């Protein structure tokens, strides 16, 4: 996993969430922000996997791709 791969994957995720919005986003940072904000606002559970993250020193900004999720009570 590299920043280039994660960026490309987030572009693909954005297109799957909403094709018309994805095409209107100007650059990869917009795709990343759109996907993060969408996941942050979803009520349904979701899982985001960063597969093949074998060289952390080569991708120090991976945290920029993590959506924030407010804690919820678990029943």
């Amino acid at each position: 996993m590299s920043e280039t791969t994660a960026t490309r994957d987030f572009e693909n995720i954005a297109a799957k969430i909403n094709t018309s919005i994805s095409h209107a986003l100007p650059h990869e940072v917009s795709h990343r922000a759109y996907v993060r904000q969408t996941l942050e606002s979803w009520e349904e559970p979701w899982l985001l996997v960063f597969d093949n993250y074998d060289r952390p020193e080569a991708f120090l900004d991976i945290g920029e791709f993590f959506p924030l999720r407010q804690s919820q009570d678990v029943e």
Side-chain angles (χ1 to χ4, degrees):
M1 168 74 56
S2 67
E3 185 170 0
T4 302
T5 303
T7 298
R8 186 176 53 241
D9 291 344
F10 268 56
E11 289 172 0
N12 291 332
I13 294 168
K16 290 193 182 295
I17 292 171
N18 188 326
T19 304
S20 59
I21 288 178
S22 176
H23 291 301
L25 297 172
H27 50 77
E28 62 271 357
V29 175
S30 298
H31 288 94
R32 184 184 320 157
Y34 173 70
V35 171
R36 286 180 60 184
Q37 291 169 358
T38 301
L39 291 177
E40 288 169 1
S41 67
W42 274 2
E43 293 294 323
E44 298 84 14
W46 50 265
L47 174 66
L48 187 61
V49 176
F50 291 85
D51 196 16
N52 295 325
Y53 185 60
D54 301 331
R55 295 186 41 223
E57 70 280 357
F59 187 8
L60 298 175
D61 294 335
I62 194 168
E64 297 296 317
F65 289 82
F66 294 171
L68 302 175
R69 181 74 176 199
Q70 293 184 358
S71 63
Q72 297 178 348
D73 292 334
V74 177
E75 295 182 26

